[in-house]
Amino acid sequence: MNTSLHTLIEKRSTTSHFDASKPLNNSQITELMRLATLAPSAYHFQNWKLIAVCSSSAKARLKDIAMGQAQVEEAAVTFIICGTLMPHQQLAAALRPSLDAGTLPQEIADSWVASAHASYADNPQLQRDEAIRSASLAAMTLILAAEGMGLSTGTIGGFDTPALIEAFSLKADEIPVILVTAGYASAEKRPQKPRRPLSEVAELV
Ligand SMILES: Cc1cc2nc3c(=O)[nH]c(=O)nc-3n(C[C@H](O)[C@H](O)[C@H](O)COP(=O)(O)O)c2cc1C
């Protein structure tokens, strides 16, 4: 593994206290979202939506929805990472740039579209699983990208889902999966917590 990425994974820890006086500019925020969308997804669905919450008013709204967790207001930005349902319906459009770039043959794209329709169209549970898988991979990619840019990050699952959907006008097919905070830590970061022993959570078969 690339040494710097290895170190970054070993050093990353969740930050709860941010220096609210240090913002990120729009190009930094956009770059983080661009890097997040380089995450992989089934069939190359790209079945995600990212919302960067950075204005004072939007942060205040989100803090209320996230059980009053102060880091949502103090972080330079909090990303709402959503997964989207019915990914098969927009797959042909999602694959178009790969066809144009010559990185995916037309017959493979056609077979993926047919296969995705057969698997997902009548399976709302699979659509939801896929939305959560894709959003989670995008979230972790965003976290690593931010840490690699020298920022600190945190992850928040504690939020009121219906309230978030309403406050940020999410569409019926957009599922808010996780919030990711990013910015500059205000204090010395806590070290990463020790993990359960590998022998308990991993096996070689
Ligand atoms: C799905 C998920 C939900 C989380 N929700 C919250 C949260 O609501 N508030 C919070 O302060 N931390 C939250 N965390 C952070 C975890 O507590 C943290 O990742 C864990 O304690 C391990 O610490 P580390 O990331 O520093 O190693 C969440 C993390 C994940 C992955």
Side-chain angles (χ1 to χ4, degrees):
M1 190 190 295
N2 174 304
T3 310
S4 57
L5 183 55
H6 194 146
T7 306
L8 196 144
I9 291 169
E10 291 206 316
K11 297 281 178 236
R12 184 212 58 79
S13 65
T14 296
T15 302
S16 304
H17 301 289
F18 290 90
D19 183 342
S21 70
K22 290 190 184 160
L24 294 174
N25 62 40
N26 285 354
S27 67
Q28 289 171 301
I29 292 170
T30 305
E31 176 64 355
L32 285 173
M33 292 196 283
R34 186 187 73 81
L35 291 168
T37 66
L38 301 185
S41 55
Y43 290 106
H44 202 32
F45 277 140
Q46 304 159 73
N47 50 332
W48 42 51
K49 177 174 177 177
L50 313 176
I51 302 168
V53 176
C54 34
S55 72
S56 304
S57 59
K59 282 180 179 179
R61 255 186 295 153
L62 187 56
K63 180 186 163 189
D64 283 348
I65 291 164
M67 320 294 178
Q69 297 190 67
Q71 63 266 38
V72 169
E73 221 156 31
E74 291 166 2
V77 55
T78 298
F79 297 95
I80 303 171
I81 316 283
C82 304
T84 57
L85 302 175
M86 294 183 283
H88 53 288
Q89 288 188 348
Q90 47 80 45
L91 181 57
L95 296 179
R96 170 55 50 197
S98 301
L99 292 169
D100 293 344
T103 52
L104 187 70
Q106 182 73 57
E107 58 274 22
I108 301 283
D110 291 346
S111 74
W112 284 6
V113 170
S115 165
H117 270 80
S119 301
Y120 291 81
D122 298 319
N123 195 336
Q125 178 68 50
L126 181 58
Q127 290 181 26
R128 192 177 163 80
D129 290 350
E130 211 56 72
I132 292 169
R133 271 197 281 262
S134 294
S136 300
L137 286 166
M140 194 65 224
T141 303
L142 195 154
I143 289 169
L144 292 175
E147 297 274 341
M149 284 165 58
L151 301 171
S152 294
T153 59
T155 329
I156 295 181
F159 58 85
D160 178 337
T161 300
L164 191 151
I165 288 170
E166 190 183 342
F168 289 89
S169 305
L170 298 190
K171 301 193 189 88
D173 64 347
E174 295 168 348
I175 312 280
V177 173
I178 195 142
L179 310 180
V180 175
T181 52
Y184 295 93
S186 61
E188 186 74 8
K189 277 173 67 170
R190 269 187 303 100
Q192 190 181 72
K193 298 177 195 77
R195 266 34 185 182
R196 293 170 63 194
L198 205 54
S199 57
E200 283 182 15
V201 300
E203 64 178 304
L204 261 69
V205 291

